[in-house]
Amino acid sequence: MTTSAAPLTGVIPPVCTPMTPDYEVDVASMVRLVDHLVGGGVDALFVLGSSSEVAYLTDAQRRTVLDTVVGHVAGQVPVLAGVIDMTTPRVLEHARVAIEAGAAGLVATAPFYTRTHPDEIRTHFRTLAARTGLPVYAYDLPVSVHTKLSADLLLELAAEGVLAGVKDSSGDDGGLRAVILGRRPPFSVLTGSEVTVDSALWMGADGVVPGLGNVDPHGYVELYRCAARGDWQAARAEQERLARLFGIVHVGGARMGGSSSGLGAFKAALHLRGVIDCPVTALPQIPLNEDEIGRIGKLLAGAGLL
Amino acid sequence: MTTSAAPLTGVIPPVCTPMTPDYEVDVASMVRLVDHLVGGGVDALFVLGSSSEVAYLTDAQRRTVLDTVVGHVAGQVPVLAGVIDMTTPRVLEHARVAIEAGAAGLVATAPFYTRTHPDEIRTHFRTLAARTGLPVYAYDLPVSVHTKLSADLLLELAAEGVLAGVKDSSGDDGGLRAVILGRRPPFSVLTGSEVTVDSALWMGADGVVPGLGNVDPHGYVELYRCAARGDWQAARAEQERLARLFGIVHVGGARMGGSSSGLGAFKAALHLRGVIDCPVTALPQIPLNEDEIGRIGKLLAGAGLL
Amino acid sequence: MTTSAAPLTGVIPPVCTPMTPDYEVDVASMVRLVDHLVGGGVDALFVLGSSSEVAYLTDAQRRTVLDTVVGHVAGQVPVLAGVIDMTTPRVLEHARVAIEAGAAGLVATAPFYTRTHPDEIRTHFRTLAARTGLPVYAYDLPVSVHTKLSADLLLELAAEGVLAGVKDSSGDDGGLRAVILGRRPPFSVLTGSEVTVDSALWMGADGVVPGLGNVDPHGYVELYRCAARGDWQAARAEQERLARLFGIVHVGGARMGGSSSGLGAFKAALHLRGVIDCPVTALPQIPLNEDEIGRIGKLLAGAGLL
Amino acid sequence: MTTSAAPLTGVIPPVCTPMTPDYEVDVASMVRLVDHLVGGGVDALFVLGSSSEVAYLTDAQRRTVLDTVVGHVAGQVPVLAGVIDMTTPRVLEHARVAIEAGAAGLVATAPFYTRTHPDEIRTHFRTLAARTGLPVYAYDLPVSVHTKLSADLLLELAAEGVLAGVKDSSGDDGGLRAVILGRRPPFSVLTGSEVTVDSALWMGADGVVPGLGNVDPHGYVELYRCAARGDWQAARAEQERLARLFGIVHVGGARMGGSSSGLGAFKAALHLRGVIDCPVTALPQIPLNEDEIGRIGKLLAGAGLL
């Protein structure tokens, strides 16, 4: 259990995984995306998260992503790795690969697919921490894993030194505050909600993991810097601009799943902005059509990004 | 798409995965379990399903299971393989391994972890069928994947020849009946509910995939044979005996998750019956304690199995 | 607590509530519907259930329904009354009215709207039984109240004499069987699932409460009688005809809620069959359109009812 | 549809309903509670909300509450009335009573118990607004009604003049922000989350409806005033004190439902503070025990309230 390092802070985008038209990892685009993000001033990168389409990547593709990003970043910023799988033994396998690739920390959800008791979730995170030696961040994502990590559970594991932080994508800002008020440093509280970053920072969160940060890293960096220097009015104005831009994730509407709509929008925007070569998303996601991509273009233009 | 083979019928237990005390696949016990099942008269085997702890097995362990069971069975009965993972690309990887190992058919759920539209589920199964060339069985398991496969979707994919059958573990016997009444042969309808097999067969289901069949394969074979020859009174009596035995899955109660309680009970019973060497379940499951195992022993005795 | 009476058996339709075009209870149509049902041979009537649009009726309308039906039936068959509301005190108010009107038994769900513990559900039913002196039937309807009544809870309250029976509309036939196997008479187990009546009776259920029984009471009575005399083949054939007819509830499809689609279909069918004057459903339900009603007509004709 | 009045702002506590030991409305305590709140500087009162145990009150008790509070307040502040019931016709009955009693506005949820389509929710609110002539506030409470009111639906009904505002108790601050950014005045956005009031106001919310405001109205009034004059540091400090006090709602823990635990805590605290005579909650709620009430006392003392 290693939580001795400085806590993670700032803007840590979950890096999209650009693909070629035949669904392979597009390494050249991936490198350009990393440059776009690091050049935008982000504080760390998070690969193999939900916004990275981790659920759709084969193990070989996951390794390509890790090697590409860790290799290209070359220590400029820390690279966290998602180790997303159903249970402890499978997560440990991903952790082994991430450690070999040089990840600076691991991000893991509660078990899913199985019906899991809170005591089993505790065992899960304790085992990960004990066996990996890397900082472990809990990824609270009930929309995907159908379990909410309670503030009590997180604080207990934080106090034990099992968890180095939490990425809270639950949308439950009451729970987020309970963790913020109850934790003792170093324990990083990161929000995954793109549209309430100013208020999360206001409450005392340490940083943000915004999927939309792929599209506009400068915006999130500016928002974070405004907050850090106490200029909350400017932070809010920047957040409101980004909240409007976040409308791109709804363009796909009811004719596709939320994953297709959100991840497709990020990739379409990155394509329109010239960062990646191809906006394709992995199977079985439904692609955005021309009209929908056109509406994304308008939202980008409205946010000053085209 | 190959659905030309004779439809699957009868008793097809989802084979438990015995483990050593250090959580490796216990090949010797696995072989004995296979003999116990095949000797009990089952019609096929289903490896790497939920009752096999597939969610907890690493890819290497999954392959060991496949090789062990397909190798040992040596064609006596067909072996279906679960290809349980989050999305199409990851499922295809498991399918590749299963095909290499000699599986006779594939069993796949709807995507999970992601937020998925019915049209994406259609694409998922169509892609699996098109790329694998093996019969594909849909595994309807909303408790794990949080999506119910509707009768309409199943019948549509059956009519296209995409699906060779369904394993219905939804507990929704109204939906099961709609599939039975709407399908055209060959399309296998298999229930995964251990306690309503007589009624499912009565409605016209072709077979059963009972987790409890690990513990008492003779019972399910007897039940199926009674039904097949039209002796429904005897089928019901056998089912009622098995329904009482099914109480073993509740022994773990509220101090653990439902997966731990159910899978732990199957393994404890197999251990008590002398079939496997060790009742251990994979991490992070909570093991049953002595008192709980004692109660399982009593239920086994009550069912005439000890 | 009065569970001394003979247990309820047979066909007990949840009586639809016909309305005038201005959404008042259509007493004349209601009387004709009662005659249609009693003339069809049903064993009892259940007013103010979900199929009666109880959730949409004002207290005055509920009383009109009770007075109309109890008065017109005049003791030919027992009339059970739904006492559907959020918590114990509100349910007790409905019970008082039902007792005054002459109901033979009360049907109550678990509390809803509130977040309720199983021990609170126990208190709820115990209080109802103690204060009303009428037989109390538990209405297991998780789709509406978002709580499943476990077999253990039902059997415990049955053993105490608190519950006289259960109407199981959960769709969980495994749970239904656990109650059937665990109960001691007199305790009535009634299924609310229109399409699995033969199998529920086969398992040992005492009767059925079919919404579709409004449309075709003769069919359900025939099904029950076939089962009662042991002619299961005929029971199944009748059930399969009714299962196909049940397709009327899906005609409304995704453009309306499930309540509108199902209740609208029952009323449209009753209107087409000449039993009630007007197919209107209460606000805010979306009415079926002409095309949809046309398809219901075809399904009726296919079932030999037009 | 009357949304012409000045929009509702500030602190609007959902008033608890004190009861006598035999579960009747304790009018004398209710009057003292109203004085406690109005004396504490709140801007309006909301009676018959979830924190008022509205789900547990008979219609007669609801009317007593309305008459008592509206009568005693005598126009000092507006009194909003919850009209909580399953569907439009039943809600309209409650609205009629509330109007007679002199309520200044109505608070209504989406339909519940029924399975309801968004278009039916639209019809529901449109009908309420058209038939009542009072400002209608949508009560977004998915934990109780199992439907989330989307930002798009709320903004559409706001633009039509159907809704005068929303009380957002969904805990989804991303959705809250979308409503704030998308609305045009006058449309009141009120948060129901006790622990994120400073951040909701920061985002642009107009006020708060805090159950905990029964216990500490001065605290919420102070918090609101700090925010209104731009002293956000002081607002946050006050909010953090209140967030710690909010721990009282968890004291009941897993041995009771969340309603019992939360509502019991508010009443126990009001009793300990000498505002109400008796902390009893309605059936079938489980009462807090002495030890739990002792822990509530300590949390009150820690917040400087004893």
Side-chain angles (χ1 to χ4, degrees):
Chain A
M1 306 180 210
T2 66
T3 58
S4 55
L8 209 56
T9 62
V11 178
I12 305 132
V15 187
C16 286
T17 305
M19 292 181 187
T20 62
D22 57 347
Y23 304 108
E24 290 305 324
V25 177
D26 177 349
V27 171
S29 289
M30 180 118 237
V31 162
R32 281 203 303 278
L33 175 55
V34 166
D35 286 342
H36 167 69
L37 297 172
V38 174
V42 305
D43 298 280
L45 296 176
F46 169 34
V47 297
L48 303 180
S50 298
S51 294
S52 318
E53 293 175 89
V54 67
Y56 304 88
L57 300 179
T58 64
D59 286 355
Q61 291 175 323
R62 291 188 183 198
R63 182 181 281 266
T64 300
V65 167
L66 275 168
D67 288 343
T68 301
V69 175
V70 175
H72 187 69
V73 165
Q76 299 173 79
V77 295
V79 179
L80 305 185
V83 286
I84 308 302
D85 218 312
M86 295 171 244
T87 60
T88 319
R90 293 185 64 81
V91 171
L92 284 170
E93 286 291 288
H94 297 296
R96 189 177 51 74
V97 174
I99 292 168
E100 279 174 21
L106 305 173
V107 184
T109 67
F112 51 94
Y113 187 88
T114 62
R115 290 170 288 156
T116 305
H117 188 277
D119 282 344
E120 295 166 341
I121 297 174
R122 288 184 180 91
T123 297
H124 178 67
F125 283 117
R126 284 174 184 145
T127 305
L128 290 184
R131 301 233 186 133
T132 63
L134 277 192
V136 173
Y137 298 86
Y139 193 173
D140 191 18
L141 190 66
V143 72
S144 287
V145 306
H146 302 277
T147 300
K148 171 81 181 95
L149 299 175
S150 72
D152 282 352
L153 184 146
L154 290 169
L155 292 171
E156 178 186 339
L157 294 177
E160 289 180 19
V162 163
L163 292 179
V166 61
K167 184 205 166 185
D168 184 340
S169 293
S170 71
D172 171 9
D173 281 355
L176 182 74
R177 183 158 232 158
V179 175
I180 290 171
L181 293 179
R183 66 159 166 178
R184 295 199 191 163
F187 179 82
S188 289
V189 178
L190 310 169
T191 180
S193 296
E194 279 95 342
V195 298
T196 55
V197 180
D198 58 338
S199 59
L201 295 173
W202 170 257
M203 289 182 195
D206 302 289
V208 56
V209 185
L212 188 64
N214 283 279
V215 179
D216 190 3
H218 302 81
Y220 281 98
V221 168
E222 174 66 15
L223 162 49
Y224 182 77
R225 289 179 183 166
C226 291
R229 69 172 181 260
D231 186 352
W232 292 99
Q233 303 283 352
R236 182 170 56 189
E238 187 64 18
Q239 174 65 90
E240 292 182 353
R241 186 184 64 81
L242 289 162
R244 290 196 171 87
L245 176 61
F246 192 63
I248 64 174
V249 308
H250 301 303
V251 158
R255 75 175 192 89
M256 61 186 65
S259 297
S260 296
S261 177
L263 304 181
F266 294 157
K267 285 186 154 181
L270 284 169
H271 182 60
L272 290 170
R273 296 201 72 195
V275 179
I276 67 174
D277 282 343
C278 172
V280 73
T281 53
L283 286 176
Q285 291 173 94
I286 293 175
L288 295 166
N289 62 30
E290 244 177 85
D291 170 60
E292 290 157 347
I293 291 176
R295 288 157 59 201
I296 288 172
K298 279 177 194 155
L299 283 161
L300 283 174
L305 297 177
L306 270 193
Chain B
M1 306 180 212
T2 64
T3 58
S4 54
L8 209 56
T9 61
V11 178
I12 305 132
V15 188
C16 285
T17 307
M19 292 183 187
T20 63
D22 57 345
Y23 303 107
E24 289 307 322
V25 178
D26 177 349
V27 171
S29 289
M30 179 118 236
V31 163
R32 281 202 304 278
L33 175 55
V34 167
D35 287 340
H36 168 68
L37 297 172
V38 175
V42 305
D43 299 279
L45 296 176
F46 168 34
V47 297
L48 304 180
S50 297
S51 294
S52 319
E53 292 174 89
V54 67
Y56 302 88
L57 301 178
T58 64
D59 286 356
Q61 291 174 323
R62 290 188 183 197
R63 183 182 279 266
T64 299
V65 167
L66 275 167
D67 289 343
T68 301
V69 175
V70 175
H72 187 69
V73 165
Q76 299 173 77
V77 295
V79 179
L80 305 185
V83 287
I84 307 302
D85 218 314
M86 296 173 245
T87 61
T88 319
R90 292 185 64 82
V91 171
L92 284 170
E93 286 291 289
H94 296 296
R96 189 177 49 73
V97 174
I99 293 168
E100 280 173 22
L106 305 173
V107 184
T109 68
F112 51 95
Y113 186 90
T114 64
R115 288 170 289 155
T116 305
H117 188 277
D119 282 345
E120 294 166 342
I121 296 174
R122 288 184 181 90
T123 297
H124 178 68
F125 284 117
R126 284 174 185 144
T127 305
L128 290 184
R131 300 234 187 130
T132 64
L134 277 193
V136 173
Y137 298 86
Y139 193 174
D140 192 17
L141 190 66
V143 71
S144 287
V145 306
H146 302 277
T147 301
K148 171 83 180 93
L149 299 175
S150 72
D152 283 353
L153 184 147
L154 289 169
L155 292 172
E156 178 187 338
L157 294 177
E160 287 179 21
V162 163
L163 292 179
V166 61
K167 183 202 165 187
D168 183 341
S169 295
S170 71
D172 171 10
D173 281 353
L176 182 76
R177 183 158 229 157
V179 174
I180 289 170
L181 293 179
R183 66 159 166 177
R184 296 201 191 164
F187 179 82
S188 290
V189 178
L190 310 170
T191 180
S193 296
E194 279 94 342
V195 298
T196 55
V197 180
D198 58 337
S199 59
L201 295 173
W202 170 256
M203 290 181 195
D206 302 290
V208 55
V209 186
L212 187 64
N214 283 279
V215 178
D216 190 4
H218 303 81
Y220 280 99
V221 168
E222 174 66 15
L223 162 49
Y224 182 77
R225 288 180 184 165
C226 291
R229 67 172 181 259
D231 186 351
W232 292 99
Q233 303 283 353
R236 183 170 55 188
E238 187 64 18
Q239 174 65 87
E240 292 182 353
R241 186 184 63 82
L242 290 162
R244 290 196 172 86
L245 176 61
F246 192 63
I248 63 173
V249 309
H250 301 304
V251 159
R255 73 174 193 91
M256 61 185 67
S259 298
S260 296
S261 176
L263 304 181
F266 295 157
K267 285 186 155 181
L270 284 169
H271 182 59
L272 289 170
R273 297 201 71 195
V275 179
I276 68 175
D277 283 343
C278 171
V280 74
T281 53
L283 288 177
Q285 292 173 93
I286 292 175
L288 295 166
N289 61 30
E290 242 177 87
D291 170 61
E292 290 156 349
I293 291 176
R295 286 156 61 199
I296 288 173
K298 279 177 194 154
L299 285 160
L300 284 174
L305 297 177
L306 269 195
Chain C
M1 305 181 210
T2 65
T3 59
S4 53
L8 209 57
T9 62
V11 178
I12 305 134
V15 188
C16 285
T17 306
M19 291 183 188
T20 63
D22 58 346
Y23 304 108
E24 290 305 324
V25 177
D26 177 348
V27 171
S29 288
M30 180 118 235
V31 163
R32 282 203 302 279
L33 175 55
V34 166
D35 287 341
H36 168 68
L37 297 172
V38 175
V42 304
D43 298 280
L45 296 177
F46 169 34
V47 297
L48 303 180
S50 298
S51 293
S52 317
E53 291 174 270
V54 68
Y56 303 88
L57 301 178
T58 64
D59 286 355
Q61 291 175 323
R62 290 188 183 198
R63 182 181 280 266
T64 299
V65 167
L66 275 167
D67 288 342
T68 301
V69 175
V70 175
H72 187 70
V73 165
Q76 300 173 78
V77 295
V79 178
L80 306 184
V83 286
I84 307 302
D85 217 313
M86 296 172 244
T87 61
T88 318
R90 293 185 64 81
V91 170
L92 284 171
E93 286 291 289
H94 296 297
R96 190 178 49 74
V97 174
I99 293 168
E100 280 174 22
L106 305 174
V107 184
T109 67
F112 52 95
Y113 186 89
T114 63
R115 288 170 288 154
T116 304
H117 188 277
D119 283 344
E120 294 166 342
I121 297 175
R122 288 185 181 91
T123 297
H124 178 67
F125 284 117
R126 284 174 186 146
T127 306
L128 290 184
R131 301 234 186 131
T132 63
L134 278 192
V136 173
Y137 298 85
Y139 193 173
D140 191 18
L141 189 67
V143 71
S144 286
V145 306
H146 302 278
T147 301
K148 172 82 181 92
L149 298 175
S150 72
D152 283 351
L153 185 147
L154 289 169
L155 292 172
E156 178 187 338
L157 294 177
E160 289 179 21
V162 164
L163 292 179
V166 61
K167 183 203 166 188
D168 183 340
S169 294
S170 71
D172 172 9
D173 281 353
L176 181 75
R177 183 157 231 158
V179 175
I180 289 171
L181 292 180
R183 67 159 165 178
R184 295 198 192 165
F187 179 82
S188 290
V189 179
L190 309 170
T191 179
S193 295
E194 280 94 342
V195 298
T196 55
V197 180
D198 58 337
S199 59
L201 295 174
W202 170 256
M203 290 181 196
D206 302 289
V208 56
V209 186
L212 187 64
N214 283 278
V215 179
D216 191 4
H218 303 80
Y220 280 99
V221 168
E222 174 67 15
L223 162 49
Y224 181 77
R225 289 179 185 167
C226 291
R229 70 172 181 260
D231 187 351
W232 292 99
Q233 303 283 352
R236 182 170 58 190
E238 188 64 18
Q239 174 64 88
E240 292 183 353
R241 186 184 64 80
L242 289 163
R244 290 196 172 87
L245 176 61
F246 192 63
I248 63 174
V249 309
H250 301 303
V251 159
R255 74 175 192 89
M256 61 185 65
S259 298
S260 296
S261 176
L263 304 182
F266 294 158
K267 285 186 153 181
L270 284 169
H271 182 59
L272 289 170
R273 296 201 71 194
V275 179
I276 68 174
D277 282 345
C278 172
V280 73
T281 52
L283 286 177
Q285 290 172 94
I286 292 175
L288 294 166
N289 62 30
E290 243 178 86
D291 170 60
E292 291 157 348
I293 291 176
R295 286 156 61 200
I296 288 172
K298 278 178 194 153
L299 284 161
L300 283 174
L305 298 176
L306 270 194
Chain D
M1 304 180 214
T2 64
T3 59
S4 55
L8 208 57
T9 62
V11 178
I12 305 133
V15 187
C16 285
T17 306
M19 292 182 186
T20 62
D22 57 346
Y23 303 109
E24 290 305 323
V25 178
D26 176 350
V27 171
S29 288
M30 179 120 237
V31 163
R32 281 202 304 278
L33 175 55
V34 166
D35 287 341
H36 167 69
L37 298 172
V38 175
V42 304
D43 299 280
L45 296 176
F46 168 34
V47 297
L48 304 180
S50 298
S51 294
S52 318
E53 292 175 89
V54 67
Y56 303 88
L57 300 179
T58 64
D59 285 356
Q61 291 175 321
R62 290 188 184 199
R63 183 182 279 264
T64 299
V65 167
L66 274 167
D67 289 343
T68 301
V69 176
V70 175
H72 187 70
V73 164
Q76 300 173 78
V77 296
V79 178
L80 306 184
V83 286
I84 307 303
D85 218 315
M86 295 173 245
T87 61
T88 319
R90 293 184 65 82
V91 170
L92 283 170
E93 286 292 289
H94 296 297
R96 189 178 50 72
V97 174
I99 293 169
E100 279 174 22
L106 305 173
V107 183
T109 68
F112 51 93
Y113 186 90
T114 63
R115 289 170 288 155
T116 306
H117 188 277
D119 282 345
E120 294 166 341
I121 296 174
R122 289 184 180 90
T123 297
H124 178 67
F125 284 117
R126 283 175 186 144
T127 305
L128 290 184
R131 301 232 184 132
T132 63
L134 278 192
V136 173
Y137 298 86
Y139 193 173
D140 191 17
L141 190 66
V143 72
S144 288
V145 305
H146 302 278
T147 300
K148 171 83 182 93
L149 299 175
S150 73
D152 283 352
L153 183 147
L154 289 169
L155 292 171
E156 178 186 338
L157 294 176
E160 288 179 20
V162 163
L163 292 179
V166 62
K167 184 205 164 185
D168 183 341
S169 294
S170 72
D172 171 9
D173 282 354
L176 182 75
R177 183 158 230 157
V179 175
I180 289 170
L181 293 179
R183 65 156 168 181
R184 295 198 191 165
F187 179 82
S188 290
V189 178
L190 310 170
T191 179
S193 296
E194 281 95 342
V195 298
T196 56
V197 180
D198 59 336
S199 59
L201 295 173
W202 170 256
M203 290 182 195
D206 301 291
V208 56
V209 185
L212 187 63
N214 283 279
V215 179
D216 191 2
H218 303 81
Y220 280 98
V221 168
E222 174 66 16
L223 162 49
Y224 182 75
R225 288 179 185 166
C226 291
R229 68 172 181 260
D231 186 351
W232 293 99
Q233 303 282 353
R236 182 171 56 190
E238 187 64 18
Q239 174 65 86
E240 292 183 352
R241 185 184 63 81
L242 289 162
R244 289 195 172 87
L245 176 60
F246 192 63
I248 63 173
V249 309
H250 301 304
V251 158
R255 74 175 192 91
M256 61 185 66
S259 298
S260 296
S261 176
L263 304 182
F266 294 159
K267 285 187 153 181
L270 284 169
H271 182 59
L272 289 170
R273 297 201 71 196
V275 179
I276 67 173
D277 282 343
C278 171
V280 74
T281 53
L283 287 176
Q285 292 173 92
I286 292 175
L288 295 166
N289 61 30
E290 243 176 87
D291 170 61
E292 290 157 349
I293 291 177
R295 288 156 61 199
I296 288 173
K298 280 179 193 153
L299 284 160
L300 284 174
L305 297 177
L306 269 194

